[in-house]
Amino acid sequence: MGTPMRRVAVSLRGYLEDVGHLTRLNPQDAWLPITESRNGNAHYAAFHNLNVGIGFQALVLPVAFAFLGWTWGIMALMIAYLWQLYTLGILVRLHEAVPGRRYNRYVELAKAAFGERLGVWLALFPTVYLSAGTATALILIGGETMKLFFQIVCGTHCSSNPLTTVEWYLVFTSLCIVLSQLPNLNSIAGVSLIGAITALTYTTLAWVLSVSQTRPASISYEPLRSNSFTASSFSILNSLGIIAFSFRGHNLALEIQATMPSTFKHPAHVPMWRGAKVAYFLIAMCLFPVAIGGFWEYGNLMPVGGMLNALYTFHENDIPRGLLATTFLLVVFNCLSSFQIYSMPVFDSFEAGYTSRTNRPCSIWVRSGFRVFYGFISFFIGIALPFLSSIAGLLGGLTLPVTFAYPCFMWVLIKKPQRFSFNWYLNWSLGILGIAFSLAFSAGGIWSMVNNGLKFKFFKPN
């Protein structure tokens, strides 16, 4: 009888330990896309983090180097990478900072740290802007890339009445809407895997194809300078904003972690951090070669549209058509995949409002209706603001606090490290610096946007 009784005692002790740290679940969470399924794991975390961490913004990094030069460009990229990795670790640990509570969304954690009203004011705009703004930019970039892919593949055999750019936006939006019918964040793990693979592939192809070609004869590595000190300063700030924008995705870290089961003995932060470390190692293997290889190949001749624009401008006739078309097609697939994960918080907000009012889950028709509505709203915003994909510096400045500042403040306010300790000083300093940089980079982005007349596009206009 000793062995069975001992087993019962051990099981009871484990049960009581779990009950003491039992997470109080909101019944509504079982109806919402982010928390509907909680069978995620470290592999899913790696796929999702790769999908949100690599994208079109990586291809614009050499533009920042054209204004910063070798030394300051590499230093800024390295500091930003380490800084955002530190704040990602903070968010992962804060997900279950309070026993019995899981902060499943970035805004929920902000409200717990800053208070109900201030938390919403501080976090809602930049997180919604990151999700909805990025989704709209993806429609523009995806549509333009599809147009270029068609032109490359079709060549001289194209019909006399090809689709216009706006019609290509509509085609891409329709594909996004069809794919968005997948119900929840866990169900798009395979989509995120495709997005991660395509992003890894086309970023690698972009710099490999570039460095394998002959460099332009008039290349120079001297940082671009304007006639006035003020203009040069704002250009540098805008370039730093571009680097900041390349490290987006923290607004989805808590949501990704929310898809994982969590108990006292097996907390969700363990698989989340394991997957995130793998993802951000691969992200570094893409971002640094793109920035360094692109600047080495084109120097300060780099077009403002980034690497694909440079390939199309300088080597359209040097690179095999099939290889160039494949690169553009991979960008299309990545944009389709990224649209899904960046739109999921918006879908979640729509359904949260509906379930709160009706006290029942969304039917398949209501859920589909929300996603069709959101897809076409993003499409119409893209038509109204066709320059949205070009203002990476301003986007980086406006959304920088989400990645670089707020996590540090939230750590101090929730974890309450010892006053005047190293941890206390570190997080307050990084948080204040992040806010200061956000204001400065936003000013640089606005100046660059006005100075360029909102004319430059992600790709060479036709």
Side-chain angles (χ1 to χ4, degrees):
M1 294 294 293
T3 300
M5 290 301 294
R6 190 180 300 112
R7 290 175 180 171
V8 171
V10 170
S11 299
L12 183 61
R13 184 168 61 251
Y15 172 76
L16 292 175
E17 286 177 350
D18 278 344
V19 168
H21 296 77
L22 188 64
T23 300
R24 294 182 295 275
L25 299 177
N26 182 353
Q28 187 186 13
D29 279 347
W31 300 339
L32 302 180
I34 288 175
T35 49
E36 187 176 60
S37 173
R38 292 187 185 267
N39 61 352
N41 52 45
H43 297 92
Y44 285 19
F47 302 158
H48 289 317
N49 278 289
L50 272 171
N51 195 20
V52 300
I54 309 179
F56 68 89
Q57 75 280 4
L59 301 175
V60 193
L61 281 174
V63 178
F65 274 53
F67 290 92
L68 298 174
W70 280 118
T71 303
W72 289 108
I74 293 175
M75 285 180 59
L77 189 59
M78 179 65 74
I79 291 171
Y81 177 78
L82 295 176
W83 190 345
Q84 61 84 35
L85 196 61
Y86 171 72
T87 55
L88 178 65
I90 286 178
L91 289 175
V92 170
R93 293 170 65 185
L94 287 178
H95 180 83
E96 296 174 284
V98 178
R101 175 68 189 273
R102 293 185 71 175
Y103 298 108
N104 297 316
R105 297 159 184 87
Y106 197 101
V107 176
E108 291 178 10
L109 183 61
K111 290 193 292 186
F114 302 120
E116 287 287 331
R117 295 186 64 183
L118 183 60
V120 171
W121 278 102
L122 291 176
L124 188 61
F125 170 74
T127 54
V128 169
Y129 195 70
L130 267 174
S131 295
T134 301
T136 304
L138 287 168
I139 288 177
L140 301 180
I141 294 163
E144 291 168 356
T145 313
M146 290 181 74
K147 179 181 178 181
L148 282 177
F149 171 77
F150 180 77
Q151 289 175 351
I152 293 170
V153 172
C154 189
T156 58
H157 304 290
C158 291
S159 64
S160 58
N161 296 310
L163 295 179
T164 65
T165 302
V166 173
E167 289 171 337
W168 280 114
Y169 293 162
L170 183 59
V171 171
F172 183 84
T173 302
S174 301
L175 293 176
C176 288
I177 290 173
V178 171
L179 200 56
S180 70
Q181 301 309 311
L182 293 170
N184 55 59
L185 191 53
N186 261 341
S187 66
I188 66 169
V191 176
S192 287
L193 175 59
I194 294 172
I197 293 173
T198 53
L200 289 168
T201 306
Y202 79 69
T203 51
T204 303
L205 277 174
W207 71 264
V208 169
L209 289 176
S210 294
V211 301
S212 64
Q213 303 298 318
T214 304
R215 286 182 288 177
S218 57
I219 188 173
S220 172
Y221 299 113
E222 287 296 320
L224 294 172
R225 292 290 180 263
S226 300
N227 295 329
S228 67
F229 174 78
T230 301
S232 297
S233 299
F234 278 122
S235 296
I236 291 172
L237 290 175
N238 182 61
S239 299
L240 293 172
I242 291 174
I243 291 178
F245 183 59
S246 66
F247 296 107
R248 55 180 189 167
H250 284 45
N251 60 307
L252 289 164
L254 296 171
E255 285 81 350
I256 294 171
Q257 194 168 343
T259 64
M260 301 177 185
S262 184
T263 64
F264 176 61
K265 293 181 180 179
H266 304 285
H269 72 81
V270 175
M272 175 64 182
W273 186 235
R274 189 183 304 126
K277 286 189 293 185
V278 173
Y280 277 86
F281 172 78
L282 294 175
I283 289 170
M285 294 298 100
C286 290
L287 298 188
F288 283 89
V290 165
I292 295 171
F295 186 57
W296 179 86
E297 175 68 18
Y298 305 108
N300 55 23
L301 297 178
M302 171 62 65
V304 289
M307 288 291 285
L308 293 187
N309 199 339
L311 281 173
Y312 195 82
T313 301
F314 292 104
H315 307 300
E316 180 183 4
N317 299 320
D318 302 328
I319 298 174
R321 180 185 296 180
L323 198 54
L324 198 60
T326 300
T327 304
F328 288 144
L329 185 61
L330 291 172
V331 174
V332 173
F333 286 150
N334 176 253
C335 289
L336 283 170
S337 303
S338 296
F339 181 91
Q340 308 309 316
I341 192 166
Y342 270 98
S343 300
M344 197 59 71
V346 182
F347 299 156
D348 189 84
S349 297
F350 284 162
E351 296 189 28
Y354 176 86
T355 55
S356 296
R357 288 175 174 79
T358 62
N359 198 31
R360 65 174 184 267
C362 291
S363 67
I364 187 172
W365 298 109
V366 172
R367 173 171 283 182
S368 297
F370 281 143
R371 300 183 183 197
V372 171
F373 170 78
Y374 173 73
F376 283 111
I377 284 294
S378 299
F379 166 73
F380 287 120
I381 292 174
I383 295 175
L385 304 173
F387 53 85
L388 189 64
S389 62
S390 304
I391 52 177
L394 178 60
L395 290 173
L398 291 174
T399 59
L400 183 145
V402 173
T403 299
F404 295 96
Y406 290 164
C408 301
F409 291 139
M410 291 190 288
W411 178 264
V412 173
L413 294 172
I414 293 177
K415 284 296 189 178
K416 295 179 172 57
Q418 184 179 353
R419 195 175 178 83
F420 305 122
S421 64
F422 173 77
N423 189 276
W424 188 87
Y425 274 118
L426 175 65
N427 285 286
W428 273 113
S429 300
L430 291 178
I432 293 171
L433 278 175
I435 296 297
F437 285 152
S438 174
L439 296 174
F441 297 170
S442 298
I446 293 172
W447 180 89
S448 178
M449 184 177 66
V450 173
N451 186 63
N452 287 294
L454 301 177
K455 292 179 181 178
F456 76 76
K457 302 284 286 179
F458 187 74
F459 290 115
K460 176 182 176 181
N462 291 313

